[in-house]
Amino acid sequence: IGALGGALFTIGAAWLAAGLDTEPGYLAAFLPAQLLAGAGIGLLVPTLVAITVDELPPARLATGIAVYTVFRQVGIALGVAIWVASVGGAPGPDAPSYQAGWVLIAALGAATVAVMAVTSRISTASATADRTPIAQTEAHDEAAAQPIH
């Protein structure tokens, strides 16, 4: 789900990079891109939280979420700073001056998709290898509970 969210976000950012120009086009250019990017973030963020806290014991869950939140906030601050730097000393506030920033955001979104795809495969393989069927566990527990004669 996270990779799908990253892909939607990337498509939305690429749409903005390609579709914005000096003519206003809220319904044709801006709104669809923002809806795609918003849906992508809505799928991506919960998946990132789940990946972060997946292996934590219950006693460490609050600390794990706090650390994730700190890194998310630092990432947001760095992302805004990098985006502003990519826009640079653009001569004016017209839409084409923001194109480099949206291209950068789309590229980072694509990198997120790649990381989420790899993380998903690793997580799935790990979860499959670590799980013991419940019936086997129950049979083992019953056998262990029987007194030895």
mmCIF file of all heavy atoms in Angstrom, residues 89-131:
data_model
loop_
_atom_site.group_PDB
_atom_site.id
_atom_site.type_symbol
_atom_site.label_atom_id
_atom_site.label_comp_id
_atom_site.label_asym_id
_atom_site.label_seq_id
_atom_site.Cartn_x
_atom_site.Cartn_y
_atom_site.Cartn_z
ATOM 1 N N GLY A 89 16.891 31.509 -7.021
ATOM 2 C CA GLY A 89 16.583 32.922 -7.151
ATOM 3 C C GLY A 89 15.711 33.189 -8.350
ATOM 4 O O GLY A 89 16.030 34.039 -9.181
ATOM 5 N N ALA A 90 14.618 32.467 -8.452
ATOM 6 C CA ALA A 90 13.709 32.662 -9.573
ATOM 7 C C ALA A 90 13.271 34.121 -9.628
ATOM 8 O O ALA A 90 13.026 34.736 -8.594
ATOM 9 C CB ALA A 90 12.499 31.754 -9.436
ATOM 10 N N PRO A 91 13.184 34.687 -10.832
ATOM 11 C CA PRO A 91 12.898 36.113 -10.961
ATOM 12 C C PRO A 91 11.520 36.536 -10.456
ATOM 13 O O PRO A 91 11.335 37.679 -10.082
ATOM 14 C CB PRO A 91 13.023 36.373 -12.459
ATOM 15 C CG PRO A 91 12.832 35.049 -13.099
ATOM 16 C CD PRO A 91 13.329 34.030 -12.108
ATOM 17 N N GLY A 92 10.568 35.660 -10.439
ATOM 18 C CA GLY A 92 9.229 36.069 -10.016
ATOM 19 C C GLY A 92 8.426 34.885 -9.542
ATOM 20 O O GLY A 92 8.853 33.745 -9.631
ATOM 21 N N PRO A 93 7.244 35.147 -9.029
ATOM 22 C CA PRO A 93 6.421 34.063 -8.490
ATOM 23 C C PRO A 93 5.564 33.366 -9.539
ATOM 24 O O PRO A 93 4.506 32.863 -9.218
ATOM 25 C CB PRO A 93 5.555 34.795 -7.465
ATOM 26 C CG PRO A 93 5.381 36.153 -8.044
ATOM 27 C CD PRO A 93 6.667 36.461 -8.759
ATOM 28 N N ASP A 94 5.998 33.338 -10.783
ATOM 29 C CA ASP A 94 5.192 32.670 -11.801
ATOM 30 C C ASP A 94 5.390 31.157 -11.736
ATOM 31 O O ASP A 94 6.394 30.664 -11.223
ATOM 32 C CB ASP A 94 5.507 33.217 -13.197
ATOM 33 C CG ASP A 94 6.965 33.046 -13.574
ATOM 34 O OD1 ASP A 94 7.790 32.869 -12.655
ATOM 35 O OD2 ASP A 94 7.285 33.083 -14.769
ATOM 36 N N ALA A 95 4.426 30.405 -12.235
ATOM 37 C CA ALA A 95 4.415 28.949 -12.124
ATOM 38 C C ALA A 95 5.660 28.274 -12.699
ATOM 39 O O ALA A 95 6.185 27.357 -12.071
ATOM 40 C CB ALA A 95 3.152 28.394 -12.781
ATOM 41 N N PRO A 96 6.173 28.662 -13.863
ATOM 42 C CA PRO A 96 7.359 27.972 -14.386
ATOM 43 C C PRO A 96 8.586 28.064 -13.478
ATOM 44 O O PRO A 96 9.433 27.173 -13.502
ATOM 45 C CB PRO A 96 7.619 28.653 -15.730
ATOM 46 C CG PRO A 96 6.288 29.160 -16.153
ATOM 47 C CD PRO A 96 5.614 29.580 -14.866
ATOM 48 N N SER A 97 8.662 29.078 -12.653
ATOM 49 C CA SER A 97 9.812 29.183 -11.759
ATOM 50 C C SER A 97 9.792 28.084 -10.691
ATOM 51 O O SER A 97 10.819 27.792 -10.094
ATOM 52 C CB SER A 97 9.875 30.561 -11.114
ATOM 53 O OG SER A 97 8.759 30.776 -10.287
ATOM 54 N N TYR A 98 8.652 27.457 -10.465
ATOM 55 C CA TYR A 98 8.544 26.383 -9.479
ATOM 56 C C TYR A 98 8.731 24.998 -10.096
ATOM 57 O O TYR A 98 8.706 24.004 -9.388
ATOM 58 C CB TYR A 98 7.187 26.448 -8.773
ATOM 59 C CG TYR A 98 7.023 27.688 -7.945
ATOM 60 C CD1 TYR A 98 6.287 28.761 -8.410
ATOM 61 C CD2 TYR A 98 7.618 27.789 -6.702
ATOM 62 C CE1 TYR A 98 6.142 29.906 -7.649
ATOM 63 C CE2 TYR A 98 7.479 28.927 -5.929
ATOM 64 C CZ TYR A 98 6.745 29.987 -6.418
ATOM 65 O OH TYR A 98 6.612 31.120 -5.667
ATOM 66 N N GLN A 99 8.930 24.920 -11.383
ATOM 67 C CA GLN A 99 9.014 23.625 -12.052
ATOM 68 C C GLN A 99 10.162 22.776 -11.515
ATOM 69 O O GLN A 99 9.996 21.584 -11.286
ATOM 70 C CB GLN A 99 9.146 23.804 -13.556
ATOM 71 C CG GLN A 99 9.075 22.484 -14.293
ATOM 72 C CD GLN A 99 9.065 22.674 -15.794
ATOM 73 O OE1 GLN A 99 9.502 23.692 -16.308
ATOM 74 N NE2 GLN A 99 8.567 21.671 -16.485
ATOM 75 N N ALA A 100 11.331 23.369 -11.277
ATOM 76 C CA ALA A 100 12.469 22.600 -10.760
ATOM 77 C C ALA A 100 12.132 21.979 -9.399
ATOM 78 O O ALA A 100 12.512 20.835 -9.124
ATOM 79 C CB ALA A 100 13.698 23.491 -10.644
ATOM 80 N N GLY A 101 11.422 22.721 -8.574
ATOM 81 C CA GLY A 101 11.026 22.187 -7.272
ATOM 82 C C GLY A 101 10.103 20.989 -7.388
ATOM 83 O O GLY A 101 10.268 19.996 -6.690
ATOM 84 N N TRP A 102 9.131 21.073 -8.303
ATOM 85 C CA TRP A 102 8.204 19.948 -8.475
ATOM 86 C C TRP A 102 8.889 18.747 -9.115
ATOM 87 O O TRP A 102 8.562 17.602 -8.786
ATOM 88 C CB TRP A 102 6.967 20.364 -9.274
ATOM 89 C CG TRP A 102 6.061 21.239 -8.470
ATOM 90 C CD1 TRP A 102 5.764 22.543 -8.701
ATOM 91 C CD2 TRP A 102 5.347 20.866 -7.289
ATOM 92 N NE1 TRP A 102 4.910 23.005 -7.725
ATOM 93 C CE2 TRP A 102 4.639 22.003 -6.856
ATOM 94 C CE3 TRP A 102 5.244 19.696 -6.559
ATOM 95 C CZ2 TRP A 102 3.840 21.990 -5.715
ATOM 96 C CZ3 TRP A 102 4.433 19.684 -5.428
ATOM 97 C CH2 TRP A 102 3.750 20.812 -5.027
ATOM 98 N N VAL A 103 9.857 18.991 -9.984
ATOM 99 C CA VAL A 103 10.637 17.875 -10.554
ATOM 100 C C VAL A 103 11.419 17.183 -9.446
ATOM 101 O O VAL A 103 11.470 15.949 -9.380
ATOM 102 C CB VAL A 103 11.566 18.380 -11.682
ATOM 103 C CG1 VAL A 103 12.569 17.316 -12.079
ATOM 104 C CG2 VAL A 103 10.753 18.822 -12.887
ATOM 105 N N LEU A 104 12.019 17.963 -8.566
ATOM 106 C CA LEU A 104 12.749 17.391 -7.431
ATOM 107 C C LEU A 104 11.816 16.572 -6.547
ATOM 108 O O LEU A 104 12.146 15.452 -6.143
ATOM 109 C CB LEU A 104 13.415 18.497 -6.614
ATOM 110 C CG LEU A 104 14.097 18.041 -5.325
ATOM 111 C CD1 LEU A 104 15.305 17.164 -5.649
ATOM 112 C CD2 LEU A 104 14.507 19.236 -4.495
ATOM 113 N N ILE A 105 10.640 17.111 -6.251
ATOM 114 C CA ILE A 105 9.684 16.381 -5.412
ATOM 115 C C ILE A 105 9.248 15.085 -6.090
ATOM 116 O O ILE A 105 9.142 14.038 -5.443
ATOM 117 C CB ILE A 105 8.477 17.281 -5.072
ATOM 118 C CG1 ILE A 105 8.924 18.380 -4.103
ATOM 119 C CG2 ILE A 105 7.325 16.475 -4.481
ATOM 120 C CD1 ILE A 105 7.887 19.428 -3.832
ATOM 121 N N ALA A 106 9.010 15.122 -7.393
ATOM 122 C CA ALA A 106 8.637 13.907 -8.118
ATOM 123 C C ALA A 106 9.769 12.879 -8.073
ATOM 124 O O ALA A 106 9.520 11.678 -7.890
ATOM 125 C CB ALA A 106 8.272 14.242 -9.566
ATOM 126 N N ALA A 107 11.011 13.330 -8.205
ATOM 127 C CA ALA A 107 12.156 12.408 -8.155
ATOM 128 C C ALA A 107 12.278 11.777 -6.766
ATOM 129 O O ALA A 107 12.522 10.560 -6.646
ATOM 130 C CB ALA A 107 13.436 13.146 -8.523
ATOM 131 N N LEU A 108 12.102 12.566 -5.728
ATOM 132 C CA LEU A 108 12.153 12.019 -4.376
ATOM 133 C C LEU A 108 10.978 11.076 -4.114
ATOM 134 O O LEU A 108 11.120 10.073 -3.411
ATOM 135 C CB LEU A 108 12.182 13.152 -3.350
ATOM 136 C CG LEU A 108 13.461 13.994 -3.357
ATOM 137 C CD1 LEU A 108 13.318 15.187 -2.419
ATOM 138 C CD2 LEU A 108 14.672 13.167 -3.005
ATOM 139 N N GLY A 109 9.830 11.382 -4.686
ATOM 140 C CA GLY A 109 8.687 10.472 -4.581
ATOM 141 C C GLY A 109 8.974 9.142 -5.248
ATOM 142 O O GLY A 109 8.632 8.081 -4.722
ATOM 143 N N ALA A 110 9.635 9.175 -6.416
ATOM 144 C CA ALA A 110 10.006 7.933 -7.104
ATOM 145 C C ALA A 110 10.995 7.129 -6.263
ATOM 146 O O ALA A 110 10.910 5.896 -6.192
ATOM 147 C CB ALA A 110 10.584 8.252 -8.479
ATOM 148 N N ALA A 111 11.931 7.820 -5.611
ATOM 149 C CA ALA A 111 12.872 7.124 -4.724
ATOM 150 C C ALA A 111 12.128 6.474 -3.558
ATOM 151 O O ALA A 111 12.457 5.353 -3.147
ATOM 152 C CB ALA A 111 13.926 8.100 -4.212
ATOM 153 N N THR A 112 11.108 7.149 -3.052
ATOM 154 C CA THR A 112 10.296 6.581 -1.969
ATOM 155 C C THR A 112 9.579 5.322 -2.422
ATOM 156 O O THR A 112 9.502 4.337 -1.685
ATOM 157 C CB THR A 112 9.276 7.617 -1.469
ATOM 158 O OG1 THR A 112 9.983 8.773 -1.033
ATOM 159 C CG2 THR A 112 8.426 7.072 -0.345
ATOM 160 N N VAL A 113 9.069 5.332 -3.648
ATOM 161 C CA VAL A 113 8.409 4.138 -4.186
ATOM 162 C C VAL A 113 9.391 2.973 -4.218
ATOM 163 O O VAL A 113 9.056 1.852 -3.819
ATOM 164 C CB VAL A 113 7.845 4.409 -5.599
ATOM 165 C CG1 VAL A 113 7.355 3.131 -6.249
ATOM 166 C CG2 VAL A 113 6.718 5.421 -5.527
ATOM 167 N N ALA A 114 10.606 3.225 -4.671
ATOM 168 C CA ALA A 114 11.615 2.162 -4.739
ATOM 169 C C ALA A 114 11.934 1.616 -3.347
ATOM 170 O O ALA A 114 11.989 0.395 -3.143
ATOM 171 C CB ALA A 114 12.876 2.687 -5.415
ATOM 172 N N VAL A 115 12.107 2.496 -2.374
ATOM 173 C CA VAL A 115 12.410 2.063 -1.007
ATOM 174 C C VAL A 115 11.238 1.283 -0.422
ATOM 175 O O VAL A 115 11.431 0.242 0.217
ATOM 176 C CB VAL A 115 12.767 3.276 -0.118
ATOM 177 C CG1 VAL A 115 12.811 2.894 1.353
ATOM 178 C CG2 VAL A 115 14.093 3.870 -0.554
ATOM 179 N N MET A 116 10.018 1.770 -0.641
ATOM 180 C CA MET A 116 8.847 1.070 -0.113
ATOM 181 C C MET A 116 8.698 -0.314 -0.750
ATOM 182 O O MET A 116 8.323 -1.261 -0.076
ATOM 183 C CB MET A 116 7.582 1.894 -0.348
ATOM 184 C CG MET A 116 7.515 3.180 0.441
ATOM 185 S SD MET A 116 7.511 2.958 2.213
ATOM 186 C CE MET A 116 5.941 2.182 2.452
ATOM 187 N N ALA A 117 8.986 -0.431 -2.030
ATOM 188 C CA ALA A 117 8.877 -1.725 -2.704
ATOM 189 C C ALA A 117 9.885 -2.714 -2.123
ATOM 190 O O ALA A 117 9.553 -3.875 -1.852
ATOM 191 C CB ALA A 117 9.071 -1.552 -4.208
ATOM 192 N N VAL A 118 11.117 -2.270 -1.906
ATOM 193 C CA VAL A 118 12.147 -3.138 -1.340
ATOM 194 C C VAL A 118 11.813 -3.482 0.107
ATOM 195 O O VAL A 118 11.901 -4.635 0.513
ATOM 196 C CB VAL A 118 13.539 -2.463 -1.441
ATOM 197 C CG1 VAL A 118 14.576 -3.219 -0.630
ATOM 198 C CG2 VAL A 118 13.964 -2.365 -2.895
ATOM 199 N N THR A 119 11.404 -2.497 0.886
ATOM 200 C CA THR A 119 11.051 -2.714 2.289
ATOM 201 C C THR A 119 9.885 -3.682 2.406
ATOM 202 O O THR A 119 9.878 -4.548 3.266
ATOM 203 C CB THR A 119 10.693 -1.383 2.971
ATOM 204 O OG1 THR A 119 11.781 -0.496 2.827
ATOM 205 C CG2 THR A 119 10.400 -1.579 4.434
ATOM 206 N N SER A 120 8.919 -3.552 1.522
ATOM 207 C CA SER A 120 7.764 -4.440 1.545
ATOM 208 C C SER A 120 8.184 -5.876 1.290
ATOM 209 O O SER A 120 7.731 -6.792 1.962
ATOM 210 C CB SER A 120 6.749 -3.982 0.501
ATOM 211 O OG SER A 120 5.688 -4.901 0.429
ATOM 212 N N ARG A 121 9.075 -6.083 0.331
ATOM 213 C CA ARG A 121 9.540 -7.455 0.040
ATOM 214 C C ARG A 121 10.304 -8.035 1.218
ATOM 215 O O ARG A 121 10.134 -9.184 1.581
ATOM 216 C CB ARG A 121 10.416 -7.451 -1.206
ATOM 217 C CG ARG A 121 9.635 -7.262 -2.460
ATOM 218 C CD ARG A 121 10.516 -7.468 -3.682
ATOM 219 N NE ARG A 121 9.802 -6.955 -4.838
ATOM 220 C CZ ARG A 121 10.261 -6.029 -5.654
ATOM 221 N NH1 ARG A 121 11.453 -5.531 -5.486
ATOM 222 N NH2 ARG A 121 9.544 -5.614 -6.668
ATOM 223 N N ILE A 122 11.180 -7.234 1.833
ATOM 224 C CA ILE A 122 11.955 -7.705 2.976
ATOM 225 C C ILE A 122 11.032 -8.018 4.138
ATOM 226 O O ILE A 122 11.144 -9.053 4.785
ATOM 227 C CB ILE A 122 13.016 -6.655 3.381
ATOM 228 C CG1 ILE A 122 14.080 -6.561 2.308
ATOM 229 C CG2 ILE A 122 13.644 -6.999 4.728
ATOM 230 C CD1 ILE A 122 15.041 -5.398 2.490
ATOM 231 N N SER A 123 10.085 -7.124 4.418
ATOM 232 C CA SER A 123 9.149 -7.307 5.517
ATOM 233 C C SER A 123 8.298 -8.550 5.315
ATOM 234 O O SER A 123 8.079 -9.324 6.235
ATOM 235 C CB SER A 123 8.271 -6.067 5.655
ATOM 236 O OG SER A 123 7.326 -6.250 6.664
ATOM 237 N N THR A 124 7.817 -8.767 4.088
ATOM 238 C CA THR A 124 6.987 -9.936 3.797
ATOM 239 C C THR A 124 7.784 -11.228 3.973
ATOM 240 O O THR A 124 7.311 -12.177 4.569
ATOM 241 C CB THR A 124 6.429 -9.847 2.365
ATOM 242 O OG1 THR A 124 5.682 -8.637 2.254
ATOM 243 C CG2 THR A 124 5.542 -11.031 2.049
ATOM 244 N N ALA A 125 9.016 -11.243 3.477
ATOM 245 C CA ALA A 125 9.854 -12.435 3.601
ATOM 246 C C ALA A 125 10.169 -12.711 5.069
ATOM 247 O O ALA A 125 10.125 -13.852 5.521
ATOM 248 C CB ALA A 125 11.143 -12.258 2.798
ATOM 249 N N SER A 126 10.470 -11.678 5.827
ATOM 250 C CA SER A 126 10.780 -11.825 7.247
ATOM 251 C C SER A 126 9.567 -12.325 8.018
ATOM 252 O O SER A 126 9.670 -13.211 8.848
ATOM 253 C CB SER A 126 11.241 -10.487 7.804
ATOM 254 O OG SER A 126 11.312 -10.539 9.196
ATOM 255 N N ALA A 127 8.406 -11.765 7.739
ATOM 256 C CA ALA A 127 7.191 -12.160 8.445
ATOM 257 C C ALA A 127 6.835 -13.605 8.148
ATOM 258 O O ALA A 127 6.423 -14.345 9.028
ATOM 259 C CB ALA A 127 6.038 -11.239 8.061
ATOM 260 N N THR A 128 7.022 -14.030 6.912
ATOM 261 C CA THR A 128 6.715 -15.403 6.535
ATOM 262 C C THR A 128 7.661 -16.376 7.221
ATOM 263 O O THR A 128 7.247 -17.421 7.709
ATOM 264 C CB THR A 128 6.812 -15.573 5.003
ATOM 265 O OG1 THR A 128 5.924 -14.636 4.400
ATOM 266 C CG2 THR A 128 6.432 -16.976 4.580
ATOM 267 N N ALA A 129 8.947 -16.034 7.305
ATOM 268 C CA ALA A 129 9.936 -16.920 7.905
ATOM 269 C C ALA A 129 9.782 -16.999 9.422
ATOM 270 O O ALA A 129 10.054 -18.034 10.022
ATOM 271 C CB ALA A 129 11.339 -16.446 7.555
ATOM 272 N N ASP A 130 9.358 -15.931 10.063
ATOM 273 C CA ASP A 130 9.294 -15.873 11.524
ATOM 274 C C ASP A 130 8.020 -16.449 12.116
ATOM 275 O O ASP A 130 7.978 -16.699 13.305
ATOM 276 C CB ASP A 130 9.426 -14.420 11.997
ATOM 277 C CG ASP A 130 10.820 -13.872 11.761
ATOM 278 O OD1 ASP A 130 11.731 -14.677 11.508
ATOM 279 O OD2 ASP A 130 10.980 -12.642 11.818
ATOM 280 N N ARG A 131 7.003 -16.666 11.344
ATOM 281 C CA ARG A 131 5.720 -17.089 11.897
ATOM 282 C C ARG A 131 5.610 -18.611 11.937
ATOM 283 O O ARG A 131 5.912 -19.298 10.982
ATOM 284 C CB ARG A 131 4.576 -16.514 11.075
ATOM 285 C CG ARG A 131 4.523 -15.022 11.241
ATOM 286 C CD ARG A 131 3.218 -14.458 10.790
ATOM 287 N NE ARG A 131 3.222 -13.036 11.066
ATOM 288 C CZ ARG A 131 2.845 -12.124 10.225
ATOM 289 N NH1 ARG A 131 2.389 -12.470 9.049
ATOM 290 N NH2 ARG A 131 2.889 -10.858 10.551
#
